[in-house]
Amino acid sequence: MSAPGARGRSYTVLGMACGHCAEAVTAELGRLPGVAEVLVDVERDTVTLLGTALPGLAAVREAVDEAGYELVAGCGE
């Protein structure tokens, strides 16, 4: 569970199809400064980041790319 005062930001990520996909994306995004929790929904192609100081779109895009997937949209950027 994330800390009090945590914010959330959701993104559309293409290419995820299974639990392994979710684990790869979670691992990369979880390394980013300010991310307290990563929620992945492979059925909806969404990733939600929770934290008090979330990273910018460029850092998120790079982490998703490193995991082998494609970030196509973000809300609140």
Side-chain angles (χ1 to χ4, degrees), residues 29-57:
L29 290 172
R31 290 184 180 108
L32 295 175
V35 175
E37 189 172 356
V38 180
L39 307 172
V40 177
D41 186 335
V42 295
E43 291 182 12
R44 292 190 171 96
D45 296 323
T46 60
V47 173
T48 301
L49 302 181
L50 301 175
T52 55
L54 294 174
L57 182 60

Side-chain angles (χ1 to χ4, degrees), residues 54-73:
L54 294 174
L57 182 60
V60 173
R61 186 178 306 279
E62 185 176 329
V64 169
D65 184 60
E66 186 66 29
Y69 302 93
E70 180 183 2
L71 182 103
V72 294

